[in-house]
Amino acid sequence: MVQELKRKIDQFLEKWKAEPDHKPLIIKGARQVGKTYSIEKFAKTYESFIEVNFVTDPEFRQIFSSGFSTDAIVKEISLRRPELRFLPNRTLIFFDELQACPEAATSLKFFKLDGRFDVICSGSMLGVNYRDISSVSVGYKEDYEMHSLDFEEFLWAKGYSARQIESMYEHMKTLTPFSENEYNVWLSHFRDFMVLGGMPAVVRKFIEQKNFSGTLQEQRQILADYEEDITKYAVGLDKGKIKNIYNHIPVFLAKENKRFQITKVAAGARSREYVGTVDWLKDAGIINVCYNLEQPELPLKGNYSFNEYKVYYRDTGLLIAALDEEAQSDLRNNKNFNTYKGAVYENAVADAFVKSGYGLYYYKNPKSTIEMDFFVRDADSLVPVEVKANDKATPSLNNLINKECYGDVRYGIKLCNRNVGFNGKFYTFPYFCAFLLKRFMSEK
């Protein structure tokens, strides 16, 4: 029996359908994060479901040849698939692989004005041409970005209830340390999650088998599929250069400062030769980009350098899969990771932050006297977040909190392998609480 994974998008889709005046929906996200599966599962709540895939059924790219009115599109689809039923107010139309037929985005305005049918669009490479697609449907569509499973969804897959996960948040909220047993159980699951990542096929195999057998092969196939996507979809850019950056991400993360440097990609490489390559990988949903702040102060947006950044895998399990054969077992046993151990935890926190809706920002001043892994914010404070693979002292965190020149910083957060605590200056939380941090910040 195939394991059905509970996803956060499930509840979002239910709320979207219940909204009386809902707009057509565009769901974007990387390949294999579960978009199509979730939409098809949701479609069972409709009496009729019309699915059009512009990649597997390219003849459907012609359904807009007679215009973009709802009646014209329904007629064109019916000519090709006469058995389909278009029932007003009881039908979901799903345009999949929208990037293969961007013209379909123009129809969203007409579907919204007509109002008889619900419409969802999606696609594995939608982000790459999303600017063009978005511009023709402004005001007539709603957007949702889907990711691979976060840690909470992974715990759901393991059978944990919302009440049990809420108890984890209560420890943060009340600053009550976890018992030794609680701490060890949650940390064990989190290490499994880092090894596996959140790709549904990988998680499903692990849950069904109750072991890691075959999961690395699944992950490496996804990595290979990403390389194939570069070959297929990187139009107008040097595909070899994109692949070169993609394959060098573990190299950057292994460096002490982890900053992306074009000179480390290839001998004699120049920035102007690689313009657009990192953006392509980001738009494709393959990487997360973390920008260096000009100054550690608010606001975050507009206060960073476009040319100084760190690059992370969108899914930490894929980072592990990109390392050597023994990396999975090393992480599970918490040994032999050297410089990569810090990189893995940092990647995992970056992944958790992005899935929570945070942008990624770090800070390193020109003299390297202050370095901070991430910054988030609450209503009126800039909050430095330090990620440590060990329990070492944090001089940069203390300096940011204590020095008057950093007036927007009032307290900090440290994520590490330690229990919940607060010393009057910064909160300490275990890594496995990272997915709850945004909620903590908003309710604190």
Side-chain angles (χ1 to χ4, degrees):
M1 180 179 176
V2 177
Q3 174 77 22
E4 184 171 295
L5 301 176
K6 178 184 175 185
R7 302 298 306 275
K8 291 182 177 180
I9 194 176
D10 299 341
Q11 188 176 20
F12 172 83
L13 290 171
E14 290 173 5
K15 289 181 178 179
W16 172 78
K17 183 181 180 182
E19 182 65 37
D21 193 35
H22 56 262
K23 301 174 182 178
L25 181 63
I26 294 182
I27 299 175
K28 61 176 182 170
R31 169 195 283 273
Q32 299 186 44
V33 297
K35 300 182 300 299
T36 299
Y37 179 85
S38 294
I39 294 166
E40 290 177 343
K41 183 173 69 171
F42 170 66
K44 295 175 183 177
T45 65
Y46 288 81
E47 191 171 337
S48 180
F49 177 46
I50 314 296
E51 183 170 6
V52 174
N53 187 307
F54 294 117
V55 169
T56 58
D57 299 304
E59 68 273 13
F60 279 98
R61 298 176 195 175
Q62 306 303 316
I63 61 176
F64 308 104
S65 59
S66 299
F68 293 97
S69 72
T70 299
D71 286 335
I73 295 168
V74 168
K75 179 181 177 181
E76 291 291 336
I77 294 175
S78 298
L79 281 172
R80 292 161 177 79
R81 297 279 299 278
E83 75 279 8
L84 297 177
R85 297 182 302 156
F86 289 84
L87 307 176
N89 304 311
R90 293 175 288 167
T91 298
L92 174 64
I93 299 173
F94 175 30
F95 292 134
D96 201 4
E97 303 296 359
L98 183 62
Q99 78 281 350
C101 185
E103 297 94 330
T106 304
S107 70
L108 300 184
K109 174 180 178 179
F110 297 92
F111 276 112
K112 175 65 181 79
L113 294 173
D114 181 275
R116 285 178 291 166
F117 308 108
D118 287 352
V119 180
I120 296 179
C121 302
S122 189
S124 59
M125 297 298 295
L126 194 53
V128 173
N129 9 29
Y130 188 68
R131 292 175 187 85
D132 297 333
I133 290 170
S134 180
S135 65
V136 299
S137 52
V138 172
Y140 298 96
K141 51 103 180 145
E142 183 176 355
D143 301 316
Y144 184 93
E145 183 163 12
M146 190 173 180
H147 302 274
S148 61
L149 281 79
D150 67 8
F151 186 48
E152 184 171 18
E153 290 171 310
F154 178 75
L155 291 176
W156 291 342
K158 292 284 291 183
Y160 286 96
S161 67
R163 181 184 58 80
Q164 289 171 302
I165 296 171
E166 183 66 20
S167 72
M168 188 188 302
Y169 178 69
E170 286 298 316
H171 281 276
M172 297 178 68
K173 183 178 178 180
T174 61
L175 298 178
T176 305
F178 294 92
S179 70
E180 183 178 359
N181 182 57
E182 286 176 313
Y183 189 96
N184 290 336
V185 167
W186 293 131
L187 182 60
S188 175
H189 287 315
F190 186 69
R191 284 186 178 144
D192 287 348
F193 174 65
M194 286 199 298
V195 169
L196 294 162
M199 289 299 183
V202 178
V203 173
R204 190 175 290 112
K205 181 179 283 287
F206 174 75
I207 297 298
E208 290 174 353
Q209 296 180 165
K210 297 182 173 60
N211 60 54
F212 289 88
S213 177
T215 57
L216 181 58
Q217 288 74 17
E218 287 274 1
Q219 290 168 317
R220 291 194 166 166
Q221 182 58 54
I222 294 171
L223 290 171
D225 290 342
Y226 282 172
E227 284 213 41
E228 185 179 343
D229 284 341
I230 294 171
T231 302
K232 278 185 183 179
Y233 296 108
V235 179
L237 294 170
D238 188 317
K239 298 172 183 179
K241 287 184 170 62
I242 297 177
K243 285 186 180 181
N244 212 3
I245 290 174
Y246 173 65
N247 291 325
H248 274 78
I249 296 173
V251 176
F252 297 124
L253 291 177
K255 302 296 181 185
E256 188 175 347
N257 67 11
K258 301 179 180 63
R259 185 168 67 87
F260 176 87
Q261 294 173 285
I262 203 68
T263 54
K264 304 296 182 185
V265 174
R270 298 178 180 180
S271 296
R272 65 173 179 268
E273 299 170 348
Y274 283 78
V275 171
T277 53
V278 171
D279 287 337
W280 191 94
L281 289 167
K282 180 183 178 183
D283 290 343
I286 295 172
I287 63 171
N288 288 319
V289 178
C290 182
Y291 294 98
N292 189 20
L293 292 176
E294 299 280 1
Q295 294 292 333
E297 60 187 25
L298 295 173
L300 288 170
K301 292 184 178 180
N303 176 32
Y304 62 88
S305 170
F306 288 93
N307 300 317
E308 293 184 42
Y309 50 83
K310 295 186 286 187
V311 174
Y312 299 102
Y313 276 89
R314 274 282 178 106
D315 186 274
T316 304
L318 297 184
L319 167 61
I320 301 299
L323 303 178
D324 56 60
E325 292 282 349
E326 293 74 29
Q328 272 203 7
S329 60
D330 280 350
L331 181 61
R332 292 203 303 273
N333 296 317
N334 196 33
K335 65 179 185 179
N336 299 332
F337 244 58
N338 300 321
T339 55
Y340 273 120
K341 187 181 293 184
V344 168
Y345 286 116
E346 210 172 296
N347 200 105
V349 171
D351 179 43
F353 281 5
V354 169
K355 288 173 179 175
S356 299
Y358 279 129
L360 297 181
Y361 306 95
Y362 75 102
Y363 180 67
K364 182 176 181 178
N365 64 6
K367 295 181 179 180
S368 298
T369 53
I370 293 185
E371 300 180 43
M372 188 49 52
D373 299 313
F374 301 105
F375 285 88
V376 294
R377 64 166 300 171
D378 60 18
D380 56 7
S381 302
L382 179 66
V383 184
V385 180
E386 188 161 53
V387 180
K388 303 294 287 186
N390 51 49
D391 297 341
K392 289 181 180 178
T394 56
S396 289
L397 186 56
N398 285 320
N399 284 335
L400 284 166
I401 297 168
N402 295 333
K403 290 190 175 182
E404 291 184 4
C405 58
Y406 305 118
D408 289 337
V409 178
R410 294 172 174 81
Y411 64 95
I413 291 171
K414 181 178 177 182
L415 296 171
C416 59
N417 188 14
R418 291 189 65 182
N419 219 321
V420 174
F422 180 60
N423 64 3
K425 295 181 179 179
F426 59 83
Y427 297 89
T428 300
F429 296 121
Y431 304 115
F432 55 76
C433 290
F435 77 99
L436 291 165
L437 194 61
K438 190 169 188 180
R439 180 181 172 190
F440 174 81
M441 299 286 291
S442 65
E443 297 180 5
K444 182 180 68 64

